Amino acid sequence: MENSVFEPYLERESVFKKDRDILRPSYIPENLPHREKQIDQIASILATALRGERPSNILIFGKTGTGKTAVIKYMGNEISKADERERVSFLYMNCEIVDTPYAILQNIGNRFVQDFDDRIPFTGWSIERVYNILREKIDEEKRVVIVVLDEIDKLVTKSGDDILYHLSKINDDLKKTKISLIGISNDLKFTEFLDPRVKSRLSDEKLVFPPYNANELRDILQQRSNLAFENGVIDDGVISLCAALAAQEHGDARRALDLLRVAAELVERSGSDKITEHHVRKAKNKIELDCVLEATRSLPTQSKLVLLGIILSEERNGTRLTTGDVFSAYRELARKAGVSNLTQRRVTDLISELDMLGLVNARVKSFGRGGRTKEIQSSVPILETKRVLEKDEVLKGMKNYHLKNQTTLLGLK
DNA sequence: TGTCCACTGGAAGGGAGGGCTT
DNA sequence: AAGCCCTCCCTTCCAGTGGACA
């Protein structure tokens, strides 16, 4: 073992005290600074559950990294601590992962199935059947069930509000048990897309989590870094810098913690023992690049072809592309790759998806007689993105490929 | 003022693929 | 095996449109 390749890394003293997970967004600390008010408010609503009554439904709004999920999970822990008679069930679900009506009902239902053989299969049944089993199982004992639907807006855009309609109405069908819903959303306007009945039932209580300011972020980082690091590992100013950078990004505490964690990991890898502002700046670049490249890597093949089409057209024509330009570039690439090519309608949707992921910018613009179309621009680092795209099995042959010549509407201007 | 371009983006529906039930 | 379910990805069809130009 003495010559193990891991040795220098194992022996090296870590800047982390024990657990680097403390700096991960999923870690729930014992207290959440600057969210006392929200916690108190939610506690006052949910206390009803401990008395065996149904609490009001709650809708929680706030941008990413404002502590919504952390607060709710914290409340879940607190409830199970206080719930001596075990009458309250707390279910947390992220609708980005559990993203279909079927999956949600199946998930809730299986929580109340004792026997493994009775479990609801992850597919195959009709929704109605899943709903009936769920209703039956959940009503076997008297209890209060709190169902948290995180990123509930994702659910509505994907599958509509039918499922929310049924869930919010389920109490009418229950005799012993009471269910209350907590919805968490990034998007303040998402209730506009809801059926008015669902909307009013869902939002008995509304809470908004404001973004953290730089001072608040500093407190959060200070608390976590005391837990995570040995004394004296952090240079003065590191925490303030992380806080300031994250405050610029609409007060995203997740971002602040990521900065600190990645900076620490960089330090650890380089073998030095002090985190400086320099490392934070390096961490910022690393995070941004990693984010983009990871999003690119995990794209389906057809989307990768569209993205590559955009990049290659830009190299040829400059940066102002229309849907038509992108589509013809895409078609050329798809043919070259030997992949079936999609219709323009579908490619439009893929472009919009790339726009939502932030990999490209697409704005609808009218060019008068030139027609009305999207103006598309990539917003990824060209070299690195190409390298990632070329790793895809199907896009392998696209290395150093240039599109055939072609004049375009905007390319001429 | 009206025309007309190059799309946009909604709606509906097909069909493949996961699976369960009988 | 046949018949059903749900979900995902995609096609087809099409009414609607912002604004430069005649």
Side-chain angles (χ1 to χ4, degrees):
Chain A
M1 253 320 251
E2 69 256 32
N3 286 327
S4 160
V5 290
F6 301 110
E7 202 174 341
Y9 299 94
L10 291 175
E11 278 191 358
R12 189 178 290 165
E13 223 165 81
S14 171
V15 292
F16 291 106
K17 212 184 262 178
K18 45 179 192 251
D19 197 356
R20 71 189 59 200
D21 289 344
I22 288 171
L23 293 177
R24 289 190 197 279
S26 51
Y27 176 83
I28 311 293
E30 278 173 31
N31 63 69
L32 296 156
H34 303 292
R35 284 294 174 253
E36 296 83 3
K37 210 178 100 198
Q38 283 81 4
I39 288 175
D40 187 55
Q41 222 172 329
I42 297 173
S44 77
I45 299 166
L46 295 188
T48 325
L50 295 171
R51 292 196 295 268
E53 297 295 316
R54 190 184 85 85
S56 305
N57 292 335
I58 310 175
L59 269 184
I60 297 176
F61 297 99
K63 297 207 167 136
T64 37
T66 51
K68 306 180 299 287
T69 305
V71 164
I72 278 300
K73 288 192 165 172
Y74 171 86
M75 293 306 301
N77 294 341
E78 292 298 305
I79 282 186
S80 50
K81 269 193 238 164
D83 180 28
E84 283 156 3
R85 292 196 273 166
E86 299 191 4
R87 294 198 302 188
V88 183
S89 308
F90 190 89
L91 272 82
Y92 173 88
M93 248 175 290
N94 187 319
C95 299
E96 200 164 21
I97 299 158
V98 186
D99 63 349
T100 63
Y102 186 99
I104 287 180
L105 293 178
Q106 184 237 5
N107 237 280
I108 302 174
N110 278 340
R111 253 301 268 280
F112 300 97
V113 171
Q114 312 298 328
D115 200 338
F116 188 81
D117 294 335
D118 290 349
R119 289 177 75 81
I120 304 168
F122 78 94
T123 171
W125 286 7
S126 71
I127 296 235
E128 197 188 336
R129 181 166 172 199
V130 178
Y131 180 83
N132 289 337
I133 293 282
L134 154 67
R135 209 183 49 198
E136 199 177 293
K137 292 286 176 191
I138 215 168
D139 213 16
E140 271 172 5
E141 267 174 59
K142 183 172 160 57
R143 58 190 140 208
V144 177
V145 179
I146 298 168
V147 177
V148 180
L149 299 171
D150 203 347
E151 314 220 26
I152 193 172
D153 43 326
K154 299 268 164 55
L155 182 69
V156 176
T157 45
K158 274 188 187 169
S159 336
D161 59 2
D162 266 21
I163 176 70
L164 295 181
Y165 177 77
H166 289 298
L167 274 182
S168 62
K169 220 168 72 92
I170 194 170
N171 285 311
D172 300 347
D173 291 343
L174 297 174
K175 293 198 179 63
K176 300 181 195 157
T177 293
K178 304 267 190 300
I179 296 187
S180 81
L181 299 172
I182 299 179
I184 303 179
S185 164
N186 293 319
D187 182 4
L188 257 167
K189 289 181 299 183
F190 107 97
T191 49
E192 287 174 17
F193 308 115
L194 295 178
D195 184 303
R197 287 169 297 175
V198 179
K199 185 178 168 182
S200 72
R201 268 203 294 260
L202 215 54
S203 49
D204 297 333
E205 303 276 352
K206 259 191 222 174
L207 264 73
V208 177
F209 281 44
Y212 296 109
N213 63 33
N215 287 333
E216 293 168 340
L217 287 170
R218 204 155 49 212
D219 290 343
I220 293 169
L221 290 172
Q222 194 65 57
Q223 176 209 34
R224 299 281 184 107
S225 69
N226 288 344
L227 292 170
F229 299 123
E230 300 290 353
N231 274 342
V233 169
I234 304 186
D235 243 13
D236 292 346
V238 163
I239 287 196
S240 296
L241 179 59
C242 290
L245 289 173
Q248 284 167 18
E249 310 230 357
H250 55 257
D252 184 343
R254 183 178 309 172
R255 175 51 68 92
L257 289 165
D258 280 344
L259 280 170
L260 195 55
R261 193 192 75 245
V262 172
E265 283 170 357
L266 287 173
V267 168
E268 199 173 40
R269 233 169 291 165
S270 71
S272 59
D273 50 9
K274 207 159 176 57
I275 306 172
T276 64
E277 295 187 16
H278 167 70
H279 294 112
V280 176
R281 296 195 191 279
K282 265 172 87 178
K284 180 170 186 278
N285 291 334
K286 182 175 179 343
I287 289 170
E288 279 160 14
L289 186 62
D290 284 357
C291 237
V292 171
L293 295 186
E294 187 44 45
T296 307
R297 207 182 336 265
S298 53
L299 247 31
T301 305
Q302 293 287 8
S303 300
K304 282 182 181 166
L305 280 169
V306 174
L307 181 58
L308 186 61
I310 293 171
I311 292 174
L312 294 182
S313 314
E314 277 183 348
E315 282 183 347
R316 190 190 51 191
N317 298 330
T319 55
R320 305 168 72 211
L321 305 169
T322 66
T323 302
D325 298 333
V326 174
F327 181 60
S328 63
Y330 158 81
R331 215 166 31 185
E332 188 180 327
L333 293 175
R335 200 176 308 132
K336 179 100 175 34
V339 179
S340 68
N341 58 55
L342 306 174
T343 54
Q344 180 159 334
R345 179 68 187 83
R346 180 64 186 142
V347 170
T348 325
D349 281 344
L350 295 183
I351 293 171
S352 301
E353 280 169 31
L354 292 175
D355 180 38
M356 294 225 279
L357 286 170
L359 299 178
V360 306
N361 269 310
R363 289 290 85 85
V364 177
K365 199 175 166 188
S366 175
F367 296 92
R369 282 230 155 151
R372 188 166 166 270
T373 176
K374 283 198 180 86
E375 192 180 49
I376 300 148
Q377 229 179 333
S378 76
S379 50
V380 292
I382 303 287
L383 263 176
E384 288 90 342
T385 307
K386 265 178 142 179
R387 212 174 297 143
V388 169
L389 288 173
E390 282 155 6
K391 283 209 181 109
D392 188 288
E393 211 42 52
V394 179
L395 280 75
K396 274 220 167 92
M398 303 287 146
K399 215 162 191 166
N400 302 322
Y401 185 76
H402 294 282
L403 294 171
K404 301 195 182 99
N405 264 329
Q406 175 198 41
T407 48
T408 66
L409 179 76
L410 295 175
L412 289 172
K413 286 186 182 173

mmCIF file of all heavy atoms in Angstrom, chain A residues 370-401:
data_model
loop_
_atom_site.group_PDB
_atom_site.id
_atom_site.type_symbol
_atom_site.label_atom_id
_atom_site.label_comp_id
_atom_site.label_asym_id
_atom_site.label_seq_id
_atom_site.Cartn_x
_atom_site.Cartn_y
_atom_site.Cartn_z
ATOM 1 N N GLY A 370 -39.762 40.402 -43.787
ATOM 2 C CA GLY A 370 -38.856 39.264 -43.601
ATOM 3 C C GLY A 370 -39.455 38.194 -42.720
ATOM 4 O O GLY A 370 -38.832 37.175 -42.457
ATOM 5 N N GLY A 371 -40.646 38.462 -42.231
ATOM 6 C CA GLY A 371 -41.340 37.459 -41.428
ATOM 7 C C GLY A 371 -41.084 37.594 -39.942
ATOM 8 O O GLY A 371 -40.327 38.436 -39.490
ATOM 9 N N ARG A 372 -41.751 36.747 -39.215
ATOM 10 C CA ARG A 372 -41.669 36.784 -37.754
ATOM 11 C C ARG A 372 -41.073 35.457 -37.308
ATOM 12 O O ARG A 372 -41.567 34.394 -37.646
ATOM 13 C CB ARG A 372 -43.080 36.936 -37.200
ATOM 14 C CG ARG A 372 -43.160 37.183 -35.747
ATOM 15 C CD ARG A 372 -44.575 37.642 -35.443
ATOM 16 N NE ARG A 372 -44.828 37.582 -34.019
ATOM 17 C CZ ARG A 372 -45.311 36.524 -33.402
ATOM 18 N NH1 ARG A 372 -45.616 35.439 -34.082
ATOM 19 N NH2 ARG A 372 -45.500 36.557 -32.102
ATOM 20 N N THR A 373 -40.011 35.503 -36.564
ATOM 21 C CA THR A 373 -39.315 34.269 -36.194
ATOM 22 C C THR A 373 -38.497 34.481 -34.926
ATOM 23 O O THR A 373 -38.474 35.583 -34.383
ATOM 24 C CB THR A 373 -38.385 33.810 -37.343
ATOM 25 O OG1 THR A 373 -37.645 32.681 -36.945
ATOM 26 C CG2 THR A 373 -37.430 34.904 -37.739
ATOM 27 N N LYS A 374 -37.879 33.440 -34.468
ATOM 28 C CA LYS A 374 -36.994 33.580 -33.308
ATOM 29 C C LYS A 374 -35.630 34.068 -33.766
ATOM 30 O O LYS A 374 -35.145 33.686 -34.827
ATOM 31 C CB LYS A 374 -36.808 32.222 -32.631
ATOM 32 C CG LYS A 374 -37.970 31.756 -31.788
ATOM 33 C CD LYS A 374 -37.489 30.655 -30.851
ATOM 34 C CE LYS A 374 -38.586 30.130 -29.967
ATOM 35 N NZ LYS A 374 -39.359 29.050 -30.638
ATOM 36 N N GLU A 375 -35.029 34.909 -32.954
ATOM 37 C CA GLU A 375 -33.634 35.247 -33.172
ATOM 38 C C GLU A 375 -32.829 34.486 -32.132
ATOM 39 O O GLU A 375 -33.074 34.631 -30.938
ATOM 40 C CB GLU A 375 -33.418 36.757 -33.036
ATOM 41 C CG GLU A 375 -32.077 37.199 -33.537
ATOM 42 C CD GLU A 375 -31.888 38.708 -33.379
ATOM 43 O OE1 GLU A 375 -32.150 39.208 -32.273
ATOM 44 O OE2 GLU A 375 -31.485 39.360 -34.341
ATOM 45 N N ILE A 376 -31.908 33.672 -32.614
ATOM 46 C CA ILE A 376 -31.251 32.709 -31.732
ATOM 47 C C ILE A 376 -29.749 32.961 -31.655
ATOM 48 O O ILE A 376 -29.097 33.265 -32.649
ATOM 49 C CB ILE A 376 -31.499 31.267 -32.242
ATOM 50 C CG1 ILE A 376 -32.997 30.999 -32.271
ATOM 51 C CG2 ILE A 376 -30.801 30.261 -31.358
ATOM 52 C CD1 ILE A 376 -33.429 30.066 -33.348
ATOM 53 N N GLN A 377 -29.244 32.816 -30.438
ATOM 54 C CA GLN A 377 -27.839 33.073 -30.178
ATOM 55 C C GLN A 377 -27.390 32.057 -29.134
ATOM 56 O O GLN A 377 -28.082 31.860 -28.144
ATOM 57 C CB GLN A 377 -27.721 34.469 -29.563
ATOM 58 C CG GLN A 377 -26.705 35.343 -30.181
ATOM 59 C CD GLN A 377 -26.696 36.697 -29.518
ATOM 60 O OE1 GLN A 377 -27.709 37.157 -28.970
ATOM 61 N NE2 GLN A 377 -25.557 37.334 -29.533
ATOM 62 N N SER A 378 -26.260 31.433 -29.343
ATOM 63 C CA SER A 378 -25.800 30.496 -28.316
ATOM 64 C C SER A 378 -25.217 31.289 -27.158
ATOM 65 O O SER A 378 -24.773 32.412 -27.319
ATOM 66 C CB SER A 378 -24.731 29.563 -28.874
ATOM 67 O OG SER A 378 -23.504 30.241 -28.973
ATOM 68 N N SER A 379 -25.261 30.720 -25.952
ATOM 69 C CA SER A 379 -24.589 31.389 -24.840
ATOM 70 C C SER A 379 -23.763 30.376 -24.061
ATOM 71 O O SER A 379 -23.850 30.281 -22.858
ATOM 72 C CB SER A 379 -25.609 32.077 -23.938
ATOM 73 O OG SER A 379 -26.635 31.186 -23.589
ATOM 74 N N VAL A 380 -22.999 29.584 -24.826
ATOM 75 C CA VAL A 380 -22.125 28.597 -24.201
ATOM 76 C C VAL A 380 -20.694 28.841 -24.668
ATOM 77 O O VAL A 380 -20.495 29.426 -25.728
ATOM 78 C CB VAL A 380 -22.539 27.161 -24.609
ATOM 79 C CG1 VAL A 380 -23.874 26.788 -24.012
ATOM 80 C CG2 VAL A 380 -22.584 27.013 -26.120
ATOM 81 N N PRO A 381 -19.723 28.416 -23.864
ATOM 82 C CA PRO A 381 -18.340 28.494 -24.340
ATOM 83 C C PRO A 381 -18.154 27.501 -25.481
ATOM 84 O O PRO A 381 -18.375 26.305 -25.315
ATOM 85 C CB PRO A 381 -17.518 28.094 -23.116
ATOM 86 C CG PRO A 381 -18.443 27.338 -22.236
ATOM 87 C CD PRO A 381 -19.815 27.864 -22.495
ATOM 88 N N ILE A 382 -17.799 28.036 -26.673
ATOM 89 C CA ILE A 382 -17.819 27.229 -27.892
ATOM 90 C C ILE A 382 -16.908 25.999 -27.802
ATOM 91 O O ILE A 382 -17.354 24.876 -28.022
ATOM 92 C CB ILE A 382 -17.372 28.093 -29.100
ATOM 93 C CG1 ILE A 382 -18.271 29.318 -29.231
ATOM 94 C CG2 ILE A 382 -17.362 27.267 -30.372
ATOM 95 C CD1 ILE A 382 -19.639 29.053 -29.737
ATOM 96 N N LEU A 383 -15.655 26.226 -27.459
ATOM 97 C CA LEU A 383 -14.681 25.129 -27.507
ATOM 98 C C LEU A 383 -15.057 23.978 -26.598
ATOM 99 O O LEU A 383 -15.143 22.830 -27.022
ATOM 100 C CB LEU A 383 -13.301 25.662 -27.087
ATOM 101 C CG LEU A 383 -12.380 26.042 -28.244
ATOM 102 C CD1 LEU A 383 -11.095 26.647 -27.717
ATOM 103 C CD2 LEU A 383 -12.103 24.811 -29.110
ATOM 104 N N GLU A 384 -15.315 24.309 -25.346
ATOM 105 C CA GLU A 384 -15.608 23.256 -24.370
ATOM 106 C C GLU A 384 -16.909 22.536 -24.714
ATOM 107 O O GLU A 384 -16.995 21.318 -24.594
ATOM 108 C CB GLU A 384 -15.718 23.841 -22.949
ATOM 109 C CG GLU A 384 -14.395 24.290 -22.346
ATOM 110 C CD GLU A 384 -14.080 25.742 -22.658
ATOM 111 O OE1 GLU A 384 -14.703 26.303 -23.608
ATOM 112 O OE2 GLU A 384 -13.224 26.328 -21.980
ATOM 113 N N THR A 385 -17.892 23.299 -25.144
ATOM 114 C CA THR A 385 -19.180 22.690 -25.471
ATOM 115 C C THR A 385 -19.041 21.725 -26.640
ATOM 116 O O THR A 385 -19.580 20.623 -26.622
ATOM 117 C CB THR A 385 -20.210 23.764 -25.828
ATOM 118 O OG1 THR A 385 -20.260 24.715 -24.773
ATOM 119 C CG2 THR A 385 -21.582 23.161 -26.006
ATOM 120 N N LYS A 386 -18.285 22.171 -27.656
ATOM 121 C CA LYS A 386 -18.054 21.280 -28.795
ATOM 122 C C LYS A 386 -17.393 19.991 -28.345
ATOM 123 O O LYS A 386 -17.763 18.906 -28.784
ATOM 124 C CB LYS A 386 -17.155 21.969 -29.816
ATOM 125 C CG LYS A 386 -17.892 22.672 -30.920
ATOM 126 C CD LYS A 386 -16.885 23.338 -31.803
ATOM 127 C CE LYS A 386 -17.226 23.275 -33.258
ATOM 128 N NZ LYS A 386 -16.194 23.964 -34.064
ATOM 129 N N ARG A 387 -16.437 20.140 -27.453
ATOM 130 C CA ARG A 387 -15.732 18.949 -26.987
ATOM 131 C C ARG A 387 -16.717 17.976 -26.322
ATOM 132 O O ARG A 387 -16.653 16.775 -26.547
ATOM 133 C CB ARG A 387 -14.626 19.352 -25.998
ATOM 134 C CG ARG A 387 -13.436 18.428 -26.058
ATOM 135 C CD ARG A 387 -12.298 18.926 -25.186
ATOM 136 N NE ARG A 387 -11.767 20.212 -25.606
ATOM 137 C CZ ARG A 387 -11.350 21.163 -24.771
ATOM 138 N NH1 ARG A 387 -11.441 20.977 -23.465
ATOM 139 N NH2 ARG A 387 -10.873 22.297 -25.225
ATOM 140 N N VAL A 388 -17.613 18.531 -25.534
ATOM 141 C CA VAL A 388 -18.601 17.674 -24.869
ATOM 142 C C VAL A 388 -19.526 17.026 -25.891
ATOM 143 O O VAL A 388 -19.805 15.831 -25.834
ATOM 144 C CB VAL A 388 -19.438 18.492 -23.855
ATOM 145 C CG1 VAL A 388 -20.625 17.684 -23.366
ATOM 146 C CG2 VAL A 388 -18.568 18.918 -22.685
ATOM 147 N N LEU A 389 -20.005 17.830 -26.841
ATOM 148 C CA LEU A 389 -20.938 17.309 -27.839
ATOM 149 C C LEU A 389 -20.313 16.177 -28.652
ATOM 150 O O LEU A 389 -20.955 15.177 -28.952
ATOM 151 C CB LEU A 389 -21.384 18.433 -28.780
ATOM 152 C CG LEU A 389 -22.331 19.471 -28.164
ATOM 153 C CD1 LEU A 389 -22.566 20.610 -29.138
ATOM 154 C CD2 LEU A 389 -23.647 18.833 -27.770
ATOM 155 N N GLU A 390 -19.018 16.357 -28.984
ATOM 156 C CA GLU A 390 -18.368 15.352 -29.835
ATOM 157 C C GLU A 390 -18.170 14.028 -29.106
ATOM 158 O O GLU A 390 -17.850 13.022 -29.723
ATOM 159 C CB GLU A 390 -17.013 15.895 -30.316
ATOM 160 C CG GLU A 390 -17.171 16.894 -31.452
ATOM 161 C CD GLU A 390 -16.009 17.864 -31.534
ATOM 162 O OE1 GLU A 390 -15.032 17.691 -30.779
ATOM 163 O OE2 GLU A 390 -16.089 18.795 -32.356
ATOM 164 N N LYS A 391 -18.330 14.054 -27.800
ATOM 165 C CA LYS A 391 -18.185 12.782 -27.059
ATOM 166 C C LYS A 391 -19.389 11.885 -27.248
ATOM 167 O O LYS A 391 -19.311 10.689 -27.024
ATOM 168 C CB LYS A 391 -17.987 13.072 -25.567
ATOM 169 C CG LYS A 391 -16.586 13.541 -25.246
ATOM 170 C CD LYS A 391 -16.175 13.156 -23.838
ATOM 171 C CE LYS A 391 -14.773 13.659 -23.524
ATOM 172 N NZ LYS A 391 -14.760 14.748 -22.562
ATOM 173 N N ASP A 392 -20.500 12.466 -27.660
ATOM 174 C CA ASP A 392 -21.704 11.666 -27.871
ATOM 175 C C ASP A 392 -21.471 10.674 -29.012
ATOM 176 O O ASP A 392 -20.912 11.009 -30.044
ATOM 177 C CB ASP A 392 -22.886 12.591 -28.212
ATOM 178 C CG ASP A 392 -24.197 11.834 -28.251
ATOM 179 O OD1 ASP A 392 -24.409 11.049 -29.209
ATOM 180 O OD2 ASP A 392 -24.991 12.020 -27.331
ATOM 181 N N GLU A 393 -21.909 9.453 -28.755
ATOM 182 C CA GLU A 393 -21.728 8.358 -29.716
ATOM 183 C C GLU A 393 -22.174 8.775 -31.122
ATOM 184 O O GLU A 393 -21.468 8.577 -32.096
ATOM 185 C CB GLU A 393 -22.573 7.175 -29.213
ATOM 186 C CG GLU A 393 -22.054 5.796 -29.546
ATOM 187 C CD GLU A 393 -20.548 5.647 -29.377
ATOM 188 O OE1 GLU A 393 -20.001 5.984 -28.297
ATOM 189 O OE2 GLU A 393 -19.918 5.193 -30.337
ATOM 190 N N VAL A 394 -23.343 9.377 -31.205
ATOM 191 C CA VAL A 394 -23.924 9.711 -32.504
ATOM 192 C C VAL A 394 -23.223 10.905 -33.171
ATOM 193 O O VAL A 394 -23.156 11.020 -34.390
ATOM 194 C CB VAL A 394 -25.431 10.017 -32.344
ATOM 195 C CG1 VAL A 394 -26.056 10.380 -33.677
ATOM 196 C CG2 VAL A 394 -26.136 8.818 -31.730
ATOM 197 N N LEU A 395 -22.684 11.797 -32.354
ATOM 198 C CA LEU A 395 -22.087 13.012 -32.915
ATOM 199 C C LEU A 395 -20.583 12.899 -33.137
ATOM 200 O O LEU A 395 -19.932 13.877 -33.502
ATOM 201 C CB LEU A 395 -22.365 14.214 -31.998
ATOM 202 C CG LEU A 395 -23.744 14.856 -32.100
ATOM 203 C CD1 LEU A 395 -24.789 14.000 -31.434
ATOM 204 C CD2 LEU A 395 -23.734 16.241 -31.491
ATOM 205 N N LYS A 396 -20.067 11.708 -32.950
ATOM 206 C CA LYS A 396 -18.611 11.509 -33.066
ATOM 207 C C LYS A 396 -18.046 12.018 -34.388
ATOM 208 O O LYS A 396 -17.011 12.653 -34.444
ATOM 209 C CB LYS A 396 -18.277 10.020 -32.909
ATOM 210 C CG LYS A 396 -18.119 9.600 -31.459
ATOM 211 C CD LYS A 396 -16.967 8.622 -31.314
ATOM 212 C CE LYS A 396 -16.597 8.435 -29.859
ATOM 213 N NZ LYS A 396 -17.293 7.322 -29.235
ATOM 214 N N GLY A 397 -18.763 11.719 -35.482
ATOM 215 C CA GLY A 397 -18.258 12.077 -36.793
ATOM 216 C C GLY A 397 -18.301 13.568 -37.106
ATOM 217 O O GLY A 397 -17.926 13.998 -38.179
ATOM 218 N N MET A 398 -18.766 14.372 -36.146
ATOM 219 C CA MET A 398 -18.945 15.806 -36.404
ATOM 220 C C MET A 398 -17.705 16.610 -36.051
ATOM 221 O O MET A 398 -17.709 17.831 -36.102
ATOM 222 C CB MET A 398 -20.103 16.350 -35.559
ATOM 223 C CG MET A 398 -21.410 15.648 -35.764
ATOM 224 S SD MET A 398 -22.103 16.079 -37.338
ATOM 225 C CE MET A 398 -22.874 14.545 -37.754
ATOM 226 N N LYS A 399 -16.662 15.914 -35.649
ATOM 227 C CA LYS A 399 -15.445 16.632 -35.252
ATOM 228 C C LYS A 399 -14.940 17.465 -36.436
ATOM 229 O O LYS A 399 -14.832 16.964 -37.547
ATOM 230 C CB LYS A 399 -14.369 15.630 -34.822
ATOM 231 C CG LYS A 399 -13.516 16.143 -33.690
ATOM 232 C CD LYS A 399 -12.776 15.008 -33.015
ATOM 233 C CE LYS A 399 -12.157 15.515 -31.723
ATOM 234 N NZ LYS A 399 -11.714 14.445 -30.859
ATOM 235 N N ASN A 400 -14.674 18.728 -36.191
ATOM 236 C CA ASN A 400 -14.166 19.646 -37.218
ATOM 237 C C ASN A 400 -15.072 19.766 -38.433
ATOM 238 O O ASN A 400 -14.619 20.110 -39.518
ATOM 239 C CB ASN A 400 -12.773 19.220 -37.701
ATOM 240 C CG ASN A 400 -11.796 19.151 -36.563
ATOM 241 O OD1 ASN A 400 -11.836 19.988 -35.657
ATOM 242 N ND2 ASN A 400 -10.936 18.153 -36.577
ATOM 243 N N TYR A 401 -16.331 19.454 -38.262
ATOM 244 C CA TYR A 401 -17.252 19.549 -39.392
ATOM 245 C C TYR A 401 -17.615 21.005 -39.651
ATOM 246 O O TYR A 401 -17.762 21.802 -38.727
ATOM 247 C CB TYR A 401 -18.515 18.732 -39.102
ATOM 248 C CG TYR A 401 -19.477 18.664 -40.249
ATOM 249 C CD1 TYR A 401 -19.216 17.838 -41.336
ATOM 250 C CD2 TYR A 401 -20.639 19.426 -40.247
ATOM 251 C CE1 TYR A 401 -20.097 17.764 -42.404
ATOM 252 C CE2 TYR A 401 -21.523 19.359 -41.320
ATOM 253 C CZ TYR A 401 -21.241 18.531 -42.389
ATOM 254 O OH TYR A 401 -22.116 18.462 -43.437
#
